[in-house]
Amino acid sequence: MLLVLMQIKGADGMNKHNEGTYRGEDPLDDPLHSRKAMGVNEERKGITDKTKSMIAAWISLISNALLTVIKLVIGWMFHSQVLIADGIHNAGDLIASAAALGSMRIANRPADEDHPYGHGKAEVIGAGLIALILAAAAIWIGYHSFEALFAPPAGGAHWIALAAAVVSLVWKQLLYLYTIKLGRRINSKGLIATAYDHLADVYASIAAVIGIGLVMMGQVYGISWLGYGDPMAGIIVSLLVLKLAWSMGREAIDILMEKAVDPAKLEKFVTIVQRFPEVKRIDRIRAREHGHYILVDLRIGVPGHMTVQQGHDLSRFIKHSIMEAHPEVDEVLVHLNPWYASPE
């Protein structure tokens, strides 16, 4: 609708549009108010994305607390070292979930005078902290698994310990699918980091199931060396978790260092801007992630005879078109440069 309006007005129509009249500053042009404007439609829904993300974070926190207790208690009762190790790993996940929840609460705060672009990077810091916790857990699992290769193979195992590991595996897989789907939909770095933390737990639970299962098979068939299946699985899992931690940490550093968004996404912004006939030239366009939203800076060349009011209206139309097409964009700063046709 905005594009049709611009085409109808044209260059001549814009000259007749309230020349010399000052309408006052549009609150949507202020970074302090842009997020509020973006959230008007969301507030009309039953549950906002912010609420959904906080619910997911609380579910993750409570789940990690319950699984930590279950694994440690059952592992201690039935002398399952692999389950105890998995429980200690879950205790680290509990800290990670608490960090993610805290960072998401901060990131969802509205922009203020001290933070005019919002608090979105709090989620990125939380994701970086989770990456460090995962890396530490991977090193810990790898070290103890490697150490276990030089010890006598694991002794007895109980089916309850195996059942606890299977329950943890299924539970964590469901949590991963739930949080990763929601996190990607609302572009929440904290929730995505929590999802990858659940995925790391899935790997650890697989190792626990394999380890306990092999020990039980060794008991049944009298094959003692099957007890080494647990540390071998632990080493493989530690490498997978370390790879996850590296990917998460690198992404967090890229965002904190103001890395540009993907060129394909930037090209989509360019396509929208080029739809406006008044835009004669795109001098520069850049965008960066600021946590769960994107900030765009745009410099365009427009006819030099345009009035301030006409330039202001054009900037607003471009800004709102980009934000409507890409809800993850929170702010578009448009700078106008005069453009004149080359003499023939």
Side-chain angles (χ1 to χ4, degrees):
M1 179 177 179
L2 295 177
L3 295 176
V4 175
L5 177 61
M6 290 299 300
Q7 291 173 353
I8 292 176
K9 288 169 67 177
D12 294 334
M14 291 185 70
N15 287 335
K16 300 176 182 179
H17 182 68
N18 292 335
E19 287 194 35
T21 303
Y22 178 69
R23 297 181 178 179
E25 184 178 355
D26 184 352
L28 291 178
D29 294 330
D30 186 352
L32 291 175
H33 297 87
S34 61
R35 293 177 69 184
K36 296 179 181 178
M38 290 287 289
V40 170
N41 291 330
E42 287 295 324
E43 290 175 359
R44 295 175 181 174
K45 298 178 181 179
I47 301 178
T48 63
D49 286 341
K50 181 174 71 173
T51 303
K52 291 179 181 178
S53 66
M54 295 304 297
I55 290 174
W58 273 108
I59 291 175
S60 298
L61 180 66
I62 295 171
S63 296
N64 280 327
L66 290 175
L67 287 174
T68 298
V69 173
I70 291 173
K71 290 178 181 179
L72 289 178
V73 170
I74 294 179
W76 177 78
M77 289 176 61
F78 297 98
H79 309 286
S80 174
Q81 294 301 316
V82 64
L83 204 57
I84 292 175
D86 199 14
I88 294 174
H89 176 213
N90 252 118
D93 296 333
L94 183 60
I95 298 174
S97 295
L101 180 62
S103 66
M104 289 168 64
R105 288 174 64 90
I106 295 174
N108 286 327
R109 291 177 181 174
D112 53 38
E113 294 295 337
D114 293 328
H115 306 88
Y117 292 99
H119 302 78
K121 285 189 177 179
E123 274 194 304
V124 183
I125 296 173
L129 179 59
I130 293 175
L132 290 176
I133 293 174
L134 284 179
I139 294 172
W140 186 86
I141 293 173
Y143 172 77
H144 285 279
S145 297
F146 186 78
E147 190 179 43
L149 290 176
F150 300 95
H158 198 280
W159 68 269
I160 294 182
L162 179 62
V166 171
V167 169
S168 173
L169 172 60
V170 175
W171 194 341
K172 281 293 186 173
Q173 178 66 20
L174 292 175
L175 282 175
Y176 166 71
L177 294 174
Y178 167 57
T179 51
I180 194 65
K181 181 179 179 180
L182 180 59
R184 285 175 175 169
R185 184 173 68 80
I186 65 178
N187 196 31
S188 171
K189 302 302 180 184
L191 207 55
I192 291 174
T194 301
Y196 284 131
D197 185 34
H198 292 323
L199 183 60
D201 292 336
V202 170
Y203 294 154
S205 295
I206 290 174
V209 170
I210 292 174
I212 297 173
L214 288 176
V215 171
M216 293 180 68
M217 287 179 61
Q219 292 176 208
V220 173
Y221 297 104
I223 308 175
S224 60
W225 58 266
L226 285 178
Y228 288 111
D230 171 37
M232 290 300 298
I235 291 174
I236 295 174
V237 166
S238 68
L239 294 176
L240 292 174
V241 174
L242 196 61
K243 182 177 182 296
L244 273 178
W246 169 258
S247 299
M248 290 171 56
R250 184 176 62 180
E251 182 182 8
I253 291 174
D254 284 343
I255 295 175
L256 291 174
M257 293 296 292
E258 305 284 352
K259 182 181 178 181
V261 300
D262 185 73
K265 181 174 285 292
L266 205 62
E267 188 61 32
K268 293 179 181 179
F269 300 154
V270 170
T271 301
I272 293 175
V273 176
Q274 289 176 337
R275 294 173 185 169
F276 291 86
E278 291 79 16
V279 177
K280 304 302 181 182
R281 181 183 65 230
I282 297 179
D283 297 321
R284 185 174 69 182
I285 182 170
R286 57 186 180 181
R288 65 193 188 278
E289 289 192 65
H290 198 82
H292 57 279
Y293 48 89
I294 295 176
L295 305 177
V296 180
D297 296 323
L298 175 65
R299 290 190 178 186
I300 56 176
V302 298
H305 60 76
M306 289 180 63
T307 67
V308 173
Q309 181 64 59
Q310 293 165 356
H312 173 75
D313 290 342
L314 176 62
S315 298
R316 289 180 64 243
F317 288 142
I318 292 174
K319 172 180 177 177
H320 296 166
S321 296
I322 292 176
M323 293 171 72
E324 287 176 4
H326 299 274
E328 70 276 16
V329 175
D330 182 76
E331 173 63 23
V332 181
L333 179 61
V334 183
H335 177 85
L336 303 180
N337 292 324
W339 174 88
Y340 299 94
S342 300
E344 295 183 359

